[in-house]
Amino acid sequence: MKIQEVKVFVSCPGRNFVTVKVITDEGVYGLGDATLNGREMAVVAYLEEHIIPCLLGRDPQQIEDIWQYLYKGAYWRKGPVTMAAIGGIDMALWDIKGKIAGLPVYQLLGGKSRESVMVYGHANGETIKETLDNLGKLIDQGFKAVRLQCAIPGLEGTYGTLGEKKDYYELQSDRPLPPEQLWSTSKYMNFIPELFEQARQQYGYAVQLVHDVHSRLTPIEAANLGKLLEPYKLLFLEDASPADNQDGYQIIRNHTTTPLAIGEVFNTVWDAKDLIVNQAIDYLRIASTHGGGITPLKKIANFADMFNVRMAPHGAPDLSPICHAAHAHLNIWAPNFGIQEFIGFGTEKLNSVFSHPLSFDNGYIRLQDKPGLGVEYHEEEAAKYKYKRSYLPVTRLEDGTLWFW
Ligand code: GCO
Ligand code: MG
């Protein structure tokens, strides 16, 4: 069996998705997600110019060797563009292997460790009341865990709280440059504990709660926030601080027992090695797409397991259903699976482009048994939705200073 052709599609059924299709000379094909939000076309160029020519004629069943060739064989290793490109190819190769074997990918990884995958939803709001009303709605839908994000009074457009009202992505159709948002650590720190205080008063402790800081705090500020939130027993505090310097997490860890999650911007195990070995975090959020595919994610999960770190893959809507399916297979298998972020199955438009094997059942994701990843990509539908340039927002302090993402 040989790789005959690799196609790259960019489509925008609501958001931009980069989809890879690896086609073999025997007709079997595989699909992968190579979407890098806001940098989509850089990955397309990397795939078309630097990866695809090297793949033609190779045996698609040699997943490990192809991964090593694309990662270790390249002088310019790592980075989000490179790893998303490799991730898209790797997923497609696992999809092919599953189709050849007639088995779902989780069976190839080692089989089921559980029947279904626990998820957390998102409750966002412009006020505490709105956020908590949305929490109530998710609990009614069966969610056992929910992330709470609320706009900070006095700070316009806090990231992650605009929800369906005015999505930051939609805001950009007539604003082709990155939107700008304000940040004030003191306003935030003085407000967030109240959100969780009221959440616990209203809904008790049965529901698991999560909060995403989006890397806006320094380690000592994050340590302080972790302490302030301890009474509310979070499942985890996400991206409390950037981890470009992994040592920073030791400062947070030394001061608080609030569990910590990080990793949605990580690309290789090296971004997390010290965090894992020093047991400075509890959940690792690296995505299959951005971490180079299923091959490295399996190894990272096994490595993290030795240090009591559980997997909680990034599940934002800017990852395509192919990545969500890859996560479902990994999550069903991983002995140290923790929880999956889940924001719903998307719009009709999205579902006309991708069919997937996932369903939501009372707080859990179920995965239908299909060979490979179980996703279909409808090329004609996809062609209707052209790529649209988009940016993630930029953050500034109130005096104009550019701040951490
Ligand atoms: C999350 C994330 C997202 C990201 C987005 C970037 O926890 O889901 O923080 O909101 O910012 O996916 O592309
Ligand atoms: Mg996040």
Side-chain angles (χ1 to χ4, degrees):
M1 181 176 279
K2 286 192 165 77
I3 297 176
Q4 194 169 54
E5 193 184 359
V6 183
K7 289 185 180 170
V8 182
F9 305 93
V10 188
S11 167
C12 187
R15 319 185 64 114
N16 293 319
F17 294 112
V18 179
T19 302
V20 174
K21 183 173 184 180
V22 177
I23 303 163
T24 68
D25 59 348
E26 294 182 21
V28 187
Y29 65 87
L31 296 169
D33 177 31
T35 307
L36 186 59
N37 189 12
R39 295 291 184 271
E40 297 86 355
M41 301 314 278
V43 182
V44 173
Y46 194 93
L47 280 163
E48 288 183 340
E49 187 60 22
H50 308 297
I51 286 192
I52 294 171
C54 308
L55 292 180
L56 303 179
R58 282 178 194 275
D59 180 353
Q61 297 192 76
Q62 292 180 6
I63 300 179
E64 185 69 44
D65 184 64
I66 290 177
W67 194 89
Q68 297 291 333
Y69 182 86
L70 297 177
Y71 175 78
K72 205 185 277 176
Y75 185 71
W76 307 108
R77 285 198 299 276
K78 305 191 270 190
V81 174
T82 302
M83 297 313 287
I86 297 177
I89 298 291
D90 185 77
M91 270 180 228
L93 298 182
W94 279 97
D95 194 21
I96 290 173
K97 197 178 274 300
K99 286 174 179 168
I100 296 170
L103 292 170
V105 166
Y106 73 80
Q107 292 289 14
L108 307 177
L109 297 173
K112 281 187 188 180
S113 294
R114 57 194 57 75
E115 289 304 318
S116 54
V117 170
M118 183 165 161
V119 298
Y120 69 89
H122 285 200
N124 304 325
E126 299 295 321
T127 60
I128 291 184
K129 183 177 180 315
E130 191 188 359
T131 309
L132 297 188
D133 287 350
N134 288 333
L135 168 60
K137 285 180 198 158
L138 291 178
I139 293 172
D140 291 345
Q141 287 168 34
F143 279 89
K144 310 287 181 277
V146 178
R147 187 185 94 165
L148 301 185
Q149 304 296 127
C150 183
I152 311 303
L155 290 183
E156 213 174 302
T158 317
Y159 181 71
T161 62
L162 300 177
E164 286 164 349
K165 268 185 155 177
K166 17 183 176 87
D167 187 285
Y168 82 91
Y169 192 85
E170 284 165 24
L171 275 177
Q172 295 181 58
S173 39
D174 48 353
R175 280 187 66 180
L177 294 174
E180 299 212 351
Q181 297 178 335
L182 283 182
W183 180 254
S184 154
T185 296
S186 58
K187 284 182 180 156
Y188 171 75
M189 297 283 270
N190 291 331
F191 173 73
I192 283 298
E194 181 62 24
L195 171 66
F196 283 87
E197 166 77 29
Q198 290 194 30
R200 288 307 187 198
Q201 267 173 16
Q202 218 171 308
Y203 295 99
Y205 283 78
V207 62
Q208 304 260 31
L209 297 178
V210 168
H211 178 63
D212 188 351
V213 183
H214 282 293
S215 305
R216 303 287 201 267
L217 301 176
T218 65
I220 197 67
E221 291 164 352
N224 187 9
L225 181 65
K227 279 180 88 158
L228 292 171
L229 294 178
E230 273 172 26
Y232 314 115
K233 302 213 181 309
L234 270 59
L235 178 69
F236 59 68
L237 187 62
E238 176 189 337
D239 287 346
S241 187
D244 302 35
N245 174 7
Q246 295 179 41
D247 289 347
Y249 267 68
Q250 214 54 59
I251 297 176
I252 312 175
R253 198 60 155 179
N254 288 342
H255 290 285
T256 181
T257 55
T258 293
L260 302 171
I262 190 170
E264 67 183 46
V265 299
F266 291 177
N267 312 126
T268 72
V269 69
W270 299 107
D271 294 324
K273 190 267 267 173
D274 295 344
L275 298 173
I276 293 171
V277 170
N278 297 329
Q279 305 193 50
I281 58 168
D282 302 280
Y283 294 88
L284 185 61
R285 294 184 30 77
I286 188 164
S288 175
T289 296
H290 304 138
I294 293 171
T295 299
L297 263 279
K298 184 175 196 302
K299 297 175 193 178
I300 292 172
N302 284 147
F303 175 59
D305 191 20
M306 293 192 287
F307 300 92
N308 301 310
V309 175
R310 280 180 277 180
M311 304 305 282
H314 189 198
D318 46 70
L319 293 156
S320 96
I322 303 171
C323 177
H324 292 286
H327 287 168
H329 288 274
L330 281 158
N331 295 338
I332 286 277
W333 155 76
N336 57 330
F337 167 68
I339 194 161
Q340 173 64 57
E341 180 181 26
F342 171 67
I343 316 182
F345 289 124
T347 58
E348 227 170 90
K349 216 197 263 183
L350 178 72
N351 294 323
S352 73
V353 173
F354 297 92
S355 332
H356 60 74
L358 311 176
S359 57
F360 177 79
D361 178 15
N362 204 26
Y364 292 82
I365 293 271
R366 290 193 176 276
L367 174 61
Q368 213 183 318
D369 266 359
K370 287 191 172 171
L373 292 173
V375 181
E376 288 302 330
Y377 186 66
H378 306 292
E379 292 173 35
E380 279 168 27
E381 281 301 310
K384 293 184 189 163
Y385 308 113
K386 299 279 172 252
Y387 163 75
K388 247 179 14 190
R389 191 175 72 188
S390 99
Y391 288 99
L392 280 155
V394 165
T395 306
R396 290 185 188 276
L397 302 183
E398 289 162 294
D399 70 357
T401 309
L402 199 84
W403 198 241
F404 293 111
W405 211 113

